[in-house]
C-alpha cells in the first residue's frame, strides 16, 4: 500500500470546472489529474495508488456515460462520481444503476463532492487491498509442495488429522508436520484462518 | 410484277428476251432496295434505342445478314495507331467463324495490313472484292475463305471527325454481290455508327458527370444540414436551457474556487499563492458568466439587429419547413392561406422566424391533448387596409384560459410542465421592435388565434 495521497481524475470539457476542481481537490490533499475529453483520458496511464474519477456526463465526442460503459466492459473498476450541468435525471438513474458512486448537479456543495470522493476512494482502496491480498495468497499457495497443498485441501474440508492420515496413507504425525508447515508458509494464525484462506483460494470443501 | 405495255408490245424474240431480262433485273433491284430499306429502317430504330454500342453493332450486323446471300457482316474499330490491330466489335452470319483468328490491321508494313481492311482504313475508300477466287488482293485469304463459301466482299470505312475509325465488313456467297446501291447503304450505316459512337461516349460522360453531380449534391446537402444544425432556430425552451447551462458552468466553477480559496486560507500557515490563483480564476469565470448574460441580452434586445426587406410569407414557409418533422411526430397538419403579392416588411429575418416558431410551437403544444378532432394548425397572411401585413396562427387546442389570459405575455408565465414562459413576451418585444403588435384571441370553435401585424416597408420608419 502506497503512502502517496489518493489521485482524483477529472474529465470535463469545461476548463473553468476543471481548474476549480483542481484547486479544491489539492487544497484537501488529493493528487489531481485533469483531462478535457474521454479520448485524452484514455490516452493516459492510470495512477498506481487508490483513485476516483470525476466525470462530466455530457462531453463532446464520447460522453461520460459511454466511458462508464466502456470501463466496465474492459473490467477497469474505477469508482465514478458524475457531475452534470443539466438536469439529467434519466441519465443519473442510468449512471447510478451502472454502479456510479454519486451523481451531482453543478454547482454542487463542496461537502457533497468531498464525501462522495471519500466513498469512491475508500471503495477503490478496498478493492486494491483485496486484490493485493488475493495475489499474496495465491503466491503463498504456489510456494507449497504438492503434498502440502493436498493436506491444505483436506483440512479445508474439515477432515481431522487422523482422517487425513488415512486418506493419503501417511502417519498422523506426518500429517501434523505438513499441517504445521502449511500454517507457517501461509501465515495462518489458526485452523479457522487457514480454512478461510482455502475458501478464498477456491479450494471449496467438496462435502462435509 | 408486270410492266404494262412492255409485255404486250409485239416484237422479235430478242426484244422480248431483253424485256424479260430487264424485268428480272428490275424485280431483283426492287427486292434489294426493299431489303436495303428494311435493313436501314431496323438499324435506325436500333440507332435510337441502343443501350450499348456492342448491342447496336450486333443488331445492325443482324439486319445486314437478313439478306440471304450475305454470309458475314461485321464491324471493326481502327485505332489511330496503325500498330494496334483493328478490333472486331461484333459480327453476325453463318460464316462468321471465318474471321476467328484473322488478324485485321491497317499497318502498311505488315502483310495482313495490306488486305481490304488495311487499304480501306488507310485510303478512306470502300473496297470491293468482286470475286474471291480471282482477285489478286484477296490471294492470302483465298484458301481460308473457300470452305466458308465466301465469293465476294466489301469493306466500307467510316469516319468520326474526319478520321477513319472503323470498317463495316460484309461477305457474300456469290461473286459480284456488291454494287453502288449496297455501297451507299453501308456507307450510310457507317456514318450512323460513327454518330452512335459519339452518342455512346457522350452518354458515358454524362453518366460520369451525373455521378459527380450526385456526389457534389450529397456533399452540399450535408453541408446545408450542418448549417441548419449550427445556425438553427432554437425553441425558447432550448434557448433558455442552453443559456442556463452557459451561465451555470462558470457559476459552478466560481463556487468551487471559493471553497478552495477558503481551504487554502484556513491552512496553517495559509497558502496565499493558492488563494490568489483561486481568486483569479473566480474573477475570470465571473467575467465569462457576465459575458453570457450580455450576449443573451443582445439576442433578446428590443432593437432589431438586421433591417432588410422581407416577405412574411417566406418567413412563415421557412418556419413551417423547419417544424415539419416535429409536426409529423405530433400528428399536426397545417393549412396555409398566404396572400399572394403581399408588400414587403422590413426587419430581422431570424427574429421574425423566432416569433413564428414560438407561435407555431405553442399552437402545437395546445393541441397535444386533442384526440377528438384533427390537430389542425392554420397559418394565414393578409394585407390590412392600414398599410399593415397581418399574420395569424390558429390552433384548435385547449384554448386560452380566461383566468390567466391577461398574463400570457408576462415573463416566465407558463402553464406547461417543461415550460419556460418566455416565448410570448420575447415574441411580443420582437414584433414591437419592428413597429408592429402581437395579440391573442379565441379561435372560432376550439383553440386560440395569435395575430401579429407589421407595417409594410414603405410605411416603416427607415
Ligand atoms: N396557442 C395557445 N393556446 C393556449 N394557450 C397558450 C397558447 N400559447 C400560449 N399559451 C399559454 O401561454 C403560456 C406562455 O406561453 P409561452 O410564453 O410561449 O411560454 P411556454 O410555451 O414556455 O409556456 C403557455 O404556458 C400557455 O399557458
Ligand atoms: Mg412557448
Amino acid at each position: 500500500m502506497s503512502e502517496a495521497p489518493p489521485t482524483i481524475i477529472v474529465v470535463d470539457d469545461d476548463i473553468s470546472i476543471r481548474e476549480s476542481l483542481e484547486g479544491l481537490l489539492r487544497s484537501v490533499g488529493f493528487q489531481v489529474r485533469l483531462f478535457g475529453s474521454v479520448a485524452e483520458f484514455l490516452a493516459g496511464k492510470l495512477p498506481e495508488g487508490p483513485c476516483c474519477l470525476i466525470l462530466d456526463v455530457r462531453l463532446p465526442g464520447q460522453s461520460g456515460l459511454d466511458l462508464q460503459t466502456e470501463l466496465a466492459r474492459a473490467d477497469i473498476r474505477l469508482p465514478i462520481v458524475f457531475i452534470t450541468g443539466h438536469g439529467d435525471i434519466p441519465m443519473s438513474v442510468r449512471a447510478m444503476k451502472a454502479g456510479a458512486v454519486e451523481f451531482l448537479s453543478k454547482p454542487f456543495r463542496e461537502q457533497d463532492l468531498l464525501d462522495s470522493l471519500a466513498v469512491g476512494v475508500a471503495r477503490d482502496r478496498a478493492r486494491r487491498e483485496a486484490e493485493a491480498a488475493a495475489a499474496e495468497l495465491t503466491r503463498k499457495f504456489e510456494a507449497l509442495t504438492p503434498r502440502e497443498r493436498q493436506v491444505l485441501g483436506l483440512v479445508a474440508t474439515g477432515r481431522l488429522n487422523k482422517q487425513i492420515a488415512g486418506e493419503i496413507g501417511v502417519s498422523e504425525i506426518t500429517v501434523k508436520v505438513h499441517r504445521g508447515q502449511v500454517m507457517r508458509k501461509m501465515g495462518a494464525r489458526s485452523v479457522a484462518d487457514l480454512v478461510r484462506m482455502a475458501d478464498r483460494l477456491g479450494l471449496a470443501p467438496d462435502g462435509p | 410484277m408486270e410492266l404494262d405495255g412492255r409485255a404486250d408490245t409485239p416484237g422479235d424474240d430478242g426484244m422480248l428476251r431483253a424485256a424479260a431480262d430487264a424485268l428480272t433485273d428490275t424485280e431483283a433491284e426492287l427486292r434489294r432496295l426493299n431489303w436495303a430499306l428494311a435493313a436501314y429502317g431496323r438499324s435506325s430504330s436500333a440507332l435510337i434505342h441502343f443501350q450499348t454500342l456492342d448491342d447496336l453493332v450486333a443488331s445492325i450486323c443482324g439486319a445486314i445478314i437478313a439478306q440471304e446471300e450475305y454470309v458475314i457482316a461485321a464491324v471493326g474499330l481502327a485505332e489511330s495507331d496503325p500498330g494496334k490491330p483493328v478490333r472486331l466489335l461484333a459480327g453476325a452470319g453463318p460464316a462468321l467463324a471465318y474471321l476467328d483468328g484473322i488478324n485485321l490491321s491497317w499497318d502498311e508494313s505488315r502483310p495482313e495490313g495490306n488486305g481490304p481492311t488495311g487499304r480501306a482504313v488507310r485510303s478512306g475508300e470502300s473496297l470491293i472484292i468482286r470475286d474471291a477466287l480471282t482477285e489478286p488482293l484477296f490471294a492470302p485469304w483465298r484458301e481460308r475463305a473457300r470452305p466458308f463459301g465466301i465469293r465476294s466482299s466489301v469493306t466500307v470505312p467510316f469516319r468520326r471527325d474526319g478520321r477513319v475509325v472503323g470498317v463495316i465488313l460484309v461477305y457474300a456467297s456469290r461473286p459480284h454481290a456488291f454494287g453502288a446501291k449496297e455501297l451507299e447503304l453501308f456507307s450510310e450505316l457507317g456514318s450512323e455508327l460513327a454518330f452512335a459512337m459519339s452518342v455512346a461516349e457522350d452518354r458515358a460522360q454524362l453518366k460520369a458527370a451525373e455521378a459527380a453531380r450526385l456526389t457534389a449534391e450529397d456533399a452540399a446537402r450535408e453541408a446545408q444540414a450542418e448549417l441548419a444544425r449550427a445556425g438553427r432556430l432554437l425553441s425558447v425552451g432550448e434557448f433558455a436551457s442552453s443559456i442556463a447551462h452557459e451561465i451555470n458552468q462558470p457559476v459552478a466553477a466560481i463556487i468551487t474556487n471559493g471553497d478552495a480559496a477558503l481551504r487554502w486560507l484556513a491552512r496553517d500557515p495559509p497558502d496565499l499563492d493558492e488563494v490568489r490563483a483561486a481568486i483569479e480564476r473566480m474573477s475570470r469565470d465571473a467575467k465569462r458568466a457576465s459575458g453570457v448574460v450580455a450576449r443573451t441580452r443582445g439576442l433578446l434586445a428590443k432593437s432589431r439587429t438586421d433591417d432588410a426587406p422581407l416577405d412574411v410569407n417566406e418567413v412563415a414557409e421557412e418556419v413551417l419547413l423547419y417544424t415539419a418533422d416535429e409536426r409529423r411526430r405530433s400528428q399536426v397538419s397545417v393549412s396555409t392561406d398566404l396572400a399572394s403579392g403581399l408588400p414587403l416588411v422590413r426587419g430581422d429575418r431570424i427574429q421574425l422566424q423566432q416569433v413564428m416558431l414560438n407561435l407555431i410551437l405553442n399552437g402545437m403544444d395546445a393541441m397535444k391533448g386533442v384526440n377528438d378532432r384533427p390537430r389542425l394548425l392554420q397559418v394565414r397572411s393578409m394585407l390590412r387596409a392600414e398599410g399593415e401585413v397581418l399574420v395569424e396562427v390558429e390552433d384548435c387546442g385547449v384554448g386560452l384560459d380566461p383566468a390567466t389570459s391577461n398574463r400570457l405575455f408576462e415573463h416566465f408565465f407558463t402553464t406547461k410542465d417543461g415550460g419556460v414562459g418566455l416565448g410570448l413576451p420575447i415574441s411580443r418585444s420582437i414584433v414591437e421592435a419592428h413597429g408592429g403588435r402581437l395579440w391573442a384571441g379565441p379561435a372560432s370553435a376550439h383553440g386560440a388565434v395569435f395575430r401579429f401585424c407589421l407595417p409594410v416597408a414603405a410605411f416603416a420608419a427607415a
Side-chain angles (χ1 to χ4, degrees):
Chain A
M1 263 127 286
S2 79
E3 291 301 308
T7 306
I8 307 299
I9 303 164
V10 178
V11 186
D12 195 314
D13 62 322
D14 192 308
I15 187 168
S16 299
I17 299 288
R18 278 202 304 274
E19 291 183 350
S20 69
L21 282 172
E22 186 194 14
L24 177 67
L25 297 174
R26 277 196 303 103
S27 78
V28 295
F30 286 119
Q31 301 187 72
V32 184
R33 293 198 193 172
L34 304 180
F35 298 98
S37 69
V38 168
E40 264 176 56
F41 163 70
L42 290 176
K45 255 180 54 186
L46 286 179
E48 290 293 327
C51 60
C52 183
L53 189 57
I54 298 182
L55 194 51
D56 190 12
V57 174
R58 299 199 197 184
L59 289 165
Q62 222 182 347
S63 81
L65 292 182
D66 294 340
L67 178 59
Q68 182 185 32
T69 313
E70 190 172 314
L71 290 178
R73 210 177 289 134
D75 205 25
I76 299 173
R77 278 167 291 166
L78 272 181
I80 302 177
V81 173
F82 278 104
I83 53 177
T84 179
H86 305 264
D88 294 313
I89 302 296
M91 290 197 185
S92 72
V93 173
R94 205 184 113 191
M96 294 304 285
K97 276 200 179 141
V101 176
E102 191 52 277
F103 195 99
L104 302 172
S105 286
K106 300 176 204 172
F108 31 76
R109 289 195 346 180
E110 170 201 51
Q111 206 50 55
D112 290 345
L113 178 71
L114 297 179
D115 286 351
S116 35
L117 289 179
V119 171
V121 167
R123 239 187 234 182
D124 196 47
R125 182 174 283 132
R127 181 186 59 80
R128 279 163 194 273
E129 282 171 6
E131 278 174 7
E136 173 72 3
L137 201 63
T138 309
R139 197 186 51 71
K140 285 180 188 160
F141 179 71
E142 276 162 3
L144 299 181
T145 66
R147 181 59 102 196
E148 287 163 355
R149 287 185 204 173
Q150 193 180 16
V151 170
L152 172 57
L154 290 167
V155 170
T157 63
R159 305 280 210 292
L160 303 173
N161 289 348
K162 209 155 107 186
Q163 292 173 302
I164 298 175
E167 213 155 310
I168 64 177
V170 297
S171 69
E172 208 179 324
I173 282 284
T174 312
V175 171
K176 268 191 185 160
V177 171
H178 281 315
R179 197 166 117 174
Q181 282 288 71
V182 171
M183 296 269 290
R184 195 180 52 74
K185 284 188 177 175
M186 294 299 287
R189 286 180 304 272
S190 64
V191 176
D193 207 14
L194 194 62
V195 171
R196 257 197 309 278
M197 289 179 181
D199 192 37
R200 256 182 270 147
L201 280 166
L203 308 172
D206 49 13
Chain B
M1 167 164 289
E2 298 209 350
L3 290 181
D4 286 340
R6 283 255 184 133
D8 293 341
T9 309
D12 66 19
D13 277 4
M15 265 184 71
L16 215 62
R17 205 173 307 115
D21 281 355
L23 190 68
T24 15
D25 277 1
T26 314
E27 272 185 356
E29 189 68 16
L30 276 172
R31 218 179 324 114
R32 251 209 299 281
L33 220 58
N34 277 338
W35 161 79
L37 287 173
Y40 188 60
R42 276 171 62 185
S43 305
S44 308
S45 88
L47 278 167
I48 295 166
H49 299 295
F50 79 99
Q51 294 290 324
T52 69
L53 199 60
D54 288 16
D55 288 350
L56 173 69
V57 170
S59 87
I60 288 180
C61 293
I64 294 171
I65 57 140
Q67 181 75 345
E68 224 163 273
E69 61 189 21
Y70 297 158
V71 290
I72 303 177
V75 172
L77 295 184
E79 310 226 0
S80 53
D81 171 7
K84 300 260 174 66
V86 172
R87 184 170 58 85
L88 275 188
L89 200 57
L96 188 60
Y98 163 74
L99 291 176
D100 284 352
I102 279 193
N103 294 321
L104 296 175
S105 162
W106 66 283
D107 188 349
E108 204 168 6
S109 64
R110 296 183 205 190
E112 69 262 32
N114 284 292
T117 296
R119 286 168 190 258
V121 172
R122 279 198 301 276
S123 68
E125 300 285 333
S126 296
L127 198 143
I128 295 176
I129 302 292
R130 279 168 225 289
D131 189 340
L133 296 184
T134 57
E135 197 83 49
L137 186 61
F138 198 65
W141 295 278
R142 188 165 297 142
E143 287 317 307
R144 186 189 165 98
R146 203 189 295 274
F148 291 98
I150 290 170
R151 286 300 305 276
S152 62
S153 79
V154 64
T155 308
V156 182
F158 55 90
R159 304 162 184 270
R160 268 182 71 192
D161 305 326
R163 184 178 81 78
V164 174
V165 291
V167 285
I168 299 178
L169 306 167
V170 185
Y171 296 78
S173 57
R174 78 175 168 88
H176 305 286
F178 302 101
K181 286 255 156 26
E182 285 80 7
L183 274 188
E184 197 179 315
L185 168 71
F186 295 141
S187 312
E188 206 138 355
L189 283 179
S191 52
E192 297 290 358
L193 256 177
F195 175 71
M197 282 170 71
S198 48
V199 170
E201 263 171 34
D202 286 355
R203 276 191 200 165
Q205 267 168 20
L206 216 68
K207 232 185 184 157
E210 177 69 8
R213 189 180 64 81
L214 284 179
T215 322
E217 238 174 37
D218 275 357
R221 204 170 305 120
E222 196 77 16
Q224 216 166 35
E226 189 55 45
L227 209 67
R229 271 194 294 279
R232 78 200 188 101
L233 296 172
L234 295 176
S235 73
V236 170
E238 290 173 305
F239 184 63
S241 95
S242 83
I243 294 202
H245 182 249
E246 281 299 303
I247 296 179
N248 193 46
Q249 291 286 105
V251 167
I254 290 169
I255 293 174
T256 303
N257 281 318
D259 293 334
L262 288 174
R263 284 186 181 269
W264 290 117
L265 211 53
R267 285 207 175 185
D268 190 17
D271 189 331
L272 293 181
D273 284 344
E274 288 285 359
V275 173
R276 183 174 305 110
I279 292 176
E280 274 166 9
R281 289 195 298 270
M282 289 167 80
S283 116
R284 175 195 67 186
D285 295 340
K287 279 187 198 124
R288 178 178 152 194
S290 88
V292 175
V293 172
R295 264 187 291 130
T296 311
R297 272 222 198 89
L299 282 176
L300 307 181
K302 291 215 186 317
S303 66
R304 55 190 201 229
T305 50
D306 196 9
D307 188 45
L310 292 174
D311 179 350
V312 290
N313 289 348
E314 268 178 35
V315 173
E317 273 161 358
E318 283 157 5
V319 176
L320 285 173
L321 203 66
Y322 176 75
T323 51
D325 270 355
E326 183 67 36
R327 288 201 311 275
R328 207 168 305 123
R329 271 196 297 278
S330 334
Q331 293 168 328
V332 167
S333 55
V334 167
S335 85
T336 55
D337 181 7
L338 304 175
S340 56
L342 275 186
L344 301 180
V345 302
R346 293 193 73 85
D348 186 318
R349 171 174 233 104
I350 303 287
Q351 286 190 351
L352 290 179
Q353 284 177 343
Q354 201 72 58
V355 172
M356 278 306 291
L357 183 67
N358 287 334
L359 299 184
I360 287 172
L361 291 181
N362 277 350
M364 287 169 54
D365 284 345
M367 293 189 286
K368 259 195 189 122
V370 168
N371 290 313
D372 60 343
R373 50 185 182 268
R375 299 178 187 161
L376 177 67
L377 191 75
Q378 303 180 63
V379 179
R380 291 182 287 267
S381 71
M382 64 208 75
L383 182 64
R384 300 222 301 183
E386 308 88 283
E388 284 177 338
V389 172
L390 176 70
V391 179
E392 298 183 341
V393 179
E394 176 172 343
D395 62 71
C396 61
V398 289
L400 302 175
D401 180 353
T404 57
S405 64
N406 57 337
R407 303 187 53 201
L408 295 181
F409 294 93
E410 281 177 19
H411 284 94
F412 301 112
F413 171 77
T414 180
T415 57
K416 298 172 195 169
D417 267 351
V420 182
L422 284 176
L424 288 178
I426 289 176
S427 297
R428 177 173 265 179
S429 70
I430 290 174
V431 169
E432 287 175 354
H434 282 76
R437 281 169 298 126
L438 168 64
W439 68 100
S444 41
H446 304 276
V449 198
F450 282 77
R451 301 183 167 88
F452 64 91
C453 59
L454 296 167
V456 308
F459 292 79

